[in-house]
């Protein structure tokens, strides 16, 4: 298939550092076509990470989504399909109906979703991009550049590595059909090629943002305005080869900074939502003990309680009660402090009541029964909310509780300073077991998530301002 030649633009980037190795017309605004779906999918991954939606959320298809022209999955108005199938259809088949349905499911309307796409693009530094829809079909003002799309491709790779394999699948189950990759020919022919996205309209020509990894080197190459699929693939191969020849064999990976929207909730108009997603059900292995009432020597530190032995507690209580009773019975009655005489009549001295005798029955009532059966360690499961410590971070959902606990332990050992004072917790959900660290302040959870993401650990904040 051939099309009237569109303006040509290209860029080659070292994905590890963001260094530009080659560019031509890289800042010229052109029609991105279905390269747009990279941002659609990026925002969807972002929404999943923040808990706004899940992979198994059922999405009801609108008449607008169902009426989108090909390429499409063939969705019908009124039908319901899980989000994961829409993501596969958009990434692999480049289905326009799936892309629109994703946008409506997350933001409520196509316009609101485009606003969110643009806000995310600005946060990434995509200065010459403006989105009007989720699919990329030609629309006035819907434009981008080779540079901006290369930047977006780099964010897709490094911000959501857990989902990046979608872009290299040769085929995928999209729920109502098995779909095939639009770029499988190039992926099959180029060593190390693993994505990312094709795009075509008559106004745009044949576009492609591609990525390949060989050893420690990863290159991103972008082409706008190819005259055919084969011509575009041939050019992207030349650009890729150029990139691998020019890139150093080793380089320190400088991950792009995730856009701010990944770290805070905001609505479709860019305003921060006052509420957060709260997930506080389930068993916690330890918690912060509530602050004790003031005494002669107030305790200044919070004590973390993991587990206590019932026999030791009962014995300690019994000893304390016995000691207090003995002291009360044996101690002399303190002399009252005389009140100053300010009147003519003498004030009779105060009489201290004599304590009632304490019987053995009363003592027995005060002393707890220490003959209880040992039921093993008692786990304190209450979350303390003192100091605003009702925030946390999620580091993934796993198929088994064992896997979730193992990840929590590994992350805790690797990030001891980051997660100091947090509480490990596994929460069972319909899709698996969530691995969470709780008991953090909002700032602490924010900092922990950023550090974990910088080191390649998937993470998002959970909790509430209370």
């Amino acid at each position: 298939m051939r099309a009237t030649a569109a303006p040509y633009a290209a860029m080659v980037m070292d994905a590890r550092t963001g260094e530009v190795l080659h560019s031509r017309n890289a800042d010229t605004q052109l029609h991105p076509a279905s390269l747009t779906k990279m941002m659609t999918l990026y925002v969807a991954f972002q929404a999943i990470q923040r808990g706004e939606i899940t992979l198994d959320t059922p999405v009801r298809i609108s008449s607008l989504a169902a009426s989108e022209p090909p390429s499409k999955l063939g969705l019908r108005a009124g039908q319901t399909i899980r989000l994961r199938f829409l993501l596969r259809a958009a990434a692999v088949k480049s289905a326009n109906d799936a892309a629109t349905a994703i946008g409506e499911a997350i933001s409520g309307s196509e316009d609101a979703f485009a606003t969110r796409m643009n806000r995310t693009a600005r946060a990434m530094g995509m200065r010459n991009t403006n989105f009007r829809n989720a699919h990329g079909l030609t629309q006035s003002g819907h434009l981008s550049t080779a540079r901006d799309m290369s930047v977006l491709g780099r964010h897709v790779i490094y911000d959501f590595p857990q989902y990046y394999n979608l872009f290299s699948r040769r085929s995928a189950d999209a729920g109502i059909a098995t779909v095939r990759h639009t770029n499988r020919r190039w992926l099959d022919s180029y060593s190390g090629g693993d994505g990312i996205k094709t795009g075509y309209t008559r106004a745009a020509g044949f576009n492609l943002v591609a990525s390949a990894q060989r050893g420690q080197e990863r290159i991103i190459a972008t082409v706008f305005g190819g005259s055919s699929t084969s011509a575009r693939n041939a050019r992207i191969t030349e650009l890729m080869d150029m990139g691998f020849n020019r890139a150093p064999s080793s380089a320190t990976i400088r991950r792009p900074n995730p856009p701010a929207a990944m770290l805070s909730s905001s609505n479709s108009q860019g305003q921060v939502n006052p509420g957060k997603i709260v997930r506080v059900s389930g068993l916690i292995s330890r918690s912060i003990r509530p602050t004790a009432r003031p005494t002669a020597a107030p305790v200044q530190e919070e004590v973390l309680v993991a587990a206590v032995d019932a026999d030791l507690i009962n014995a300690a209580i019994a000893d304390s009660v016995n000691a207090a009773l003995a002291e009360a019975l044996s101690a002399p009655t303190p002399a009252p402090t005389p009140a100053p005489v300010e009147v003519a009549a003498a004030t009779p001295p105060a009489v201290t009541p004599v304590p009632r005798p304490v019987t053995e029955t009363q003592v027995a009532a005060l002393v707890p029964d220490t003959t209880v059966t040992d039921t093993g360690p008692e786990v304190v499961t209450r979350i303390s909310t003192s100091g605003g410590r009702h925030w946390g971070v999620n580091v993934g959902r796993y198929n088994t509780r064992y896997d979730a606990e193992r990840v929590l332990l590994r992350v805790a050992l690797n990030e001891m300073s980051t997660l100091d004072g947090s509480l490990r917790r596994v929460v069972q959900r319909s899709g698996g077991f969530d691995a969470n660290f709780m008991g953090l302040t909002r700032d602490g959870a924010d900092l922990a998530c950023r550090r974990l993401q910088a080191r390649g650990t998937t993470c998002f904040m959970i909790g509430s301002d209370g």
Side-chain angles (χ1 to χ4, degrees), residues 75-88:
L75 300 170
R76 301 184 310 277
Q79 82 173 99
T80 299
I81 185 171
R82 285 190 290 169
L83 179 69
R84 68 172 67 246
F85 295 132
L86 298 176
L87 298 179
R88 294 173 186 174

Side-chain angles (χ1 to χ4, degrees), residues 252-282:
T252 301
I253 295 177
R254 297 197 296 269
R255 298 176 183 273
N257 293 324
M262 291 182 66
L263 304 177
S264 63
S265 286
S266 54
N267 60 25
S268 62
Q269 302 304 318
Q271 300 170 334
V272 176
N273 288 330
K276 296 284 184 177
I277 294 159
V278 182
R279 300 175 179 172
V280 293
S281 62

Side-chain angles (χ1 to χ4, degrees), residues 14 16-17 19 216-217 247-254:
D14 186 332
R16 300 167 297 177
T17 63
E19 179 185 359
Q216 300 301 313
E217 301 175 35
S249 58
S250 62
T252 301
I253 295 177
R254 297 197 296 269

Side-chain angles (χ1 to χ4, degrees), residues 57 70-71 118 288 319 375 411:
T57 296
S71 173
N118 288 323
I288 301 173
D319 291 343
T375 58
V411 173

Side-chain angles (χ1 to χ4, degrees), residues 244-440:
F244 281 114
N245 289 332
R246 294 183 179 181
S249 58
S250 62
T252 301
I253 295 177
R254 297 197 296 269
R255 298 176 183 273
N257 293 324
M262 291 182 66
L263 304 177
S264 63
S265 286
S266 54
N267 60 25
S268 62
Q269 302 304 318
Q271 300 170 334
V272 176
N273 288 330
K276 296 284 184 177
I277 294 159
V278 182
R279 300 175 179 172
V280 293
S281 62
L283 183 66
I284 297 179
S285 61
R286 59 196 179 111
S287 70
I288 301 173
R289 177 184 293 172
T291 304
R293 292 182 178 180
T295 63
V299 178
Q300 299 298 325
E301 298 180 356
E302 293 179 312
V303 181
L304 294 179
V305 180
V308 291
D309 189 287
D311 287 339
L312 292 178
I313 287 182
N314 290 332
I317 294 174
D319 291 343
S320 298
V321 172
N322 287 329
L325 288 172
E327 180 179 355
L329 294 174
S330 62
T333 302
T337 302
V341 179
E342 297 183 357
V343 294
T347 303
V351 179
T352 303
V354 178
R356 294 181 180 179
V358 180
T359 65
E360 292 184 2
T361 302
Q362 290 173 318
V363 172
L366 291 172
V367 179
D369 182 7
T370 59
T371 61
V372 297
T373 304
D374 182 7
T375 58
E378 176 186 355
V379 180
V380 180
T381 62
R382 182 172 52 80
I383 302 176
S384 170
T385 58
S386 61
R389 288 178 173 271
H390 40 270
W391 287 80
V393 297
N394 174 283
V395 293
R397 179 172 294 177
Y398 302 90
N399 292 329
T400 67
R401 180 178 294 275
Y402 171 79
D403 289 339
E405 291 174 344
R406 182 176 61 179
V407 170
L408 285 174
L409 182 58
R410 174 178 57 78
V411 173
L413 292 174
N414 291 338
E415 306 289 345
M416 294 181 66
S417 60
T418 304
L419 298 167
D420 183 33
S422 64
L423 317 173
R424 297 195 302 274
R425 185 191 66 193
V426 175
V427 180
Q428 184 174 4
R429 300 192 179 281
S430 59
F433 295 84
D434 282 3
N436 301 332
F437 288 93
M438 296 300 298
L440 296 170

Side-chain angles (χ1 to χ4, degrees), residues 60 77 163 184 200 242 276 298-299 303 313 315 331 365 408 420 432 438 441 449 454-455:
R60 187 173 181 82
Y163 299 120
R184 58 188 179 276
Y200 167 76
M242 178 195 303
K276 296 284 184 177
V299 178
V303 181
I313 287 182
L408 285 174
D420 183 33
M438 296 300 298
T441 63
C449 238
R455 296 172 186 173

